[in-house]
Amino acid sequence: MPEGNYELRLNYLGKSRTELNELGSFLWDNHSQTVILGSDPSTGARFKPELGKLLQTDVVGTPMVSKSSNKYELLKIK
C-alpha cells in the first residue's frame, strides 16, 4: 500500500471556534480505492475520492450515507 503524510484540521461547525490539528500518515488501499488515515488499516478512518473531495466510507469503501453525510467530507485547503 502506498503511503504518505497528512495534516488534518478539524472545525466543529456551530460547536466551537477551536481548530483541532492532527498530523499523521496515510495509506492508499487499492482494493477499496480509499485513503486510510493512520498506519493501521483495521482502525483508520477511510475516505474515497469523489467529485473533488474525499467522502468518509465504511471498511469496504462504501460511502456513509445519512442526513449528516456532508459533515464527513475532507476538502483540500488552498
Side-chain angles (χ1 to χ4, degrees):
M1 286 187 196
E3 59 183 78
N5 296 310
Y6 72 90
E7 177 181 2
L8 179 63
R9 297 179 191 169
L10 299 171
N11 291 307
Y12 289 96
L13 301 176
K15 300 283 183 182
S16 171
R17 293 178 185 247
T18 304
E19 182 176 88
L20 302 173
N21 294 310
E22 178 180 305
L23 298 173
S25 60
F26 69 86
L27 303 170
W28 174 256
D29 182 7
N30 282 324
H31 179 72
S32 63
Q33 295 291 296
T34 57
V35 173
I36 305 167
L37 300 186
S39 58
D40 184 352
S42 66
T43 60
R46 291 173 178 258
F47 294 86
K48 185 172 215 147
E50 196 166 304
L51 302 172
K53 55 190 164 192
L54 296 173
L55 304 177
Q56 191 166 15
T57 72
D58 61 18
V59 296
V60 294
T62 304
M64 294 183 177
V65 179
S66 73
K67 60 183 177 181
S68 61
S69 294
N70 65 329
K71 295 180 182 179
Y72 299 97
E73 297 175 352
L74 293 183
L75 304 172
K76 184 176 182 177
I77 297 175
K78 296 177 184 171

